[in-house]
Amino acid sequence: MNVLLVYAHPEPKSLNGSLKDFAVKRLEAAGHQVQVSDLYAMDWKASLDADDSPGRQAESRFNPSLDSKLAFEEGRQSQDIVLEQEKLLWADAVILQFPLWWFSMPAILKGWVERVYAYGFAYGVGEHSDTRWGNRYGEGKLAGKRAMLIVTTGGWESHYSPRGINGPIDDVLFPIQHGVLFYPGFDVLPPFVIYRTSRMDEAKFSTTCDALGQRLDDLWKTAPIPFRPQNAGAYDIPQLTLRAEIAPDQTGFAAHVRQAERDEPGMRAASAKARAM
């Protein structure tokens, strides 16, 4: 299988650097082909701007979505964007690895998403009507591929527990896992999170590598997070709100994750059919 690891940490000798090296060796030892986009080493340009659309009329007002759309359609994208899109299309699985900085990904990785996820590539695709609202949230250009986060954080695991001060880790990562990954079609695996990184010693590092190695070995066996597909019947379209009978006592992020014991068999069958389209 082909694996793309998008890595965002400025220090090669960091914990993240060691984990990245371990992950690459583990995957290659298992026979996978691996490409690494080391964003800091690549001096990746984080800001989306008019330079991403070479050949546009310089005197016209820059419109990020429209200019992205035209550049993609007309083959005028910046070459660094094209190369990353080619890696995404090549990959069977994508791993985003980063330290959790201010409750999100580092700016350089956010900039990678903003620039590489062009209009027509990762969004703005498919039919928009009274029965469908584009190919997204379970469908799209990257459907059929797997994705996973490797995240380090200085906080304790209890800080990110259901009643922890930082909020549940699933909620903290929801905009990335549901929005950045599930939106363009990825099957999103549960994240691999390393807590309390300042207390990492040799014993803990060894244990961490053992656990990460198992997750990498199981990359094609692990069940994805059961996010609700948008066009499979759970949502009213075009309002894109959950139908009244779906998880009626739930709100917030959790409502968009299927609970097998709560969902109707017919809804699960419709979801499976939509994902096969």
Side-chain angles (χ1 to χ4, degrees):
M1 295 291 187
N2 299 332
V3 181
L4 170 63
L5 197 162
V6 185
Y7 169 73
H9 196 288
E11 175 51 65
K13 297 179 181 178
S14 64
L15 170 63
N16 266 276
S18 297
L19 292 172
K20 180 259 294 178
D21 293 342
F22 170 84
V24 171
K25 291 178 181 178
R26 184 74 169 226
L27 290 165
E28 290 180 339
H32 303 300
Q33 301 296 313
V34 182
Q35 292 193 65
V36 178
S37 288
D38 185 339
L39 300 184
Y40 283 95
M42 294 161 60
D43 196 22
W44 179 263
K45 181 175 83 74
S47 58
L48 186 159
D49 55 31
D51 291 339
D52 294 335
S53 305
R56 64 180 296 275
Q57 295 182 352
E59 67 278 6
S60 63
R61 181 178 69 88
F62 174 59
N63 182 315
S65 293
L66 179 58
D67 279 293
S68 175
K69 178 178 186 291
L70 294 175
F72 179 76
E73 289 178 348
E74 298 170 6
R76 293 189 290 102
Q77 296 180 111
S78 174
Q79 186 62 20
D80 58 346
I81 293 174
V82 172
L83 291 175
E84 296 305 298
Q85 290 173 347
E86 290 176 349
K87 292 178 188 177
L88 283 171
L89 295 176
W90 166 86
D92 299 301
V94 174
I95 297 171
L96 303 185
Q97 183 187 340
F98 57 92
L100 193 67
W101 286 351
W102 288 107
F103 297 87
S104 188
M105 59 179 73
I108 197 169
L109 180 53
K110 181 61 159 52
W112 180 87
V113 173
E114 290 179 0
R115 297 183 63 226
V116 175
Y117 275 31
Y119 190 116
F121 180 81
Y123 75 103
V125 298
E127 168 193 341
H128 288 70
S129 67
D130 288 339
T131 58
R132 296 182 56 79
W133 201 254
N135 297 339
R136 58 182 202 164
Y137 291 116
E139 301 171 276
K141 186 84 71 175
L142 303 177
K145 302 175 183 291
R146 304 200 129 201
M148 186 180 81
L149 303 183
I150 298 176
V151 182
T152 60
T153 178
W156 299 18
E157 186 170 2
S158 62
H159 298 177
Y160 294 94
S161 64
R163 290 173 57 84
I165 185 66
N166 290 340
I169 191 64
D170 288 341
D171 285 3
V172 173
L173 297 178
F174 186 88
I176 302 172
Q177 296 189 134
H178 188 261
V180 172
L181 296 177
F182 188 58
Y183 186 109
F186 282 112
D187 290 323
V188 186
L189 306 187
F192 185 84
V193 184
I194 302 101
Y195 300 96
R196 211 176 181 186
T197 53
S198 64
R199 297 303 180 116
M200 183 68 66
D201 56 21
E202 289 188 12
K204 185 177 178 182
F205 181 73
S206 177
T207 301
T208 299
C209 286
D210 288 343
L212 176 58
Q214 190 61 58
R215 285 296 307 276
L216 296 173
D217 292 346
D218 294 340
L219 202 56
W220 278 270
K221 302 176 186 177
T222 302
I225 301 170
F227 292 128
R228 299 182 189 277
Q230 175 189 277
N231 294 312
Y235 296 89
D236 287 324
I237 298 175
Q239 297 92 332
L240 296 182
T241 54
L242 282 169
R243 289 167 46 189
E245 68 272 21
I246 303 297
D249 57 346
Q250 286 188 308
T251 59
F253 296 155
H256 303 288
V257 181
R258 299 193 306 275
Q259 303 294 328
E261 69 275 11
R262 301 164 66 94
D263 288 351
E264 298 177 5
M267 186 61 65
R268 294 199 299 274
S271 298
K273 180 179 179 182
R275 296 182 71 77
M277 293 176 66

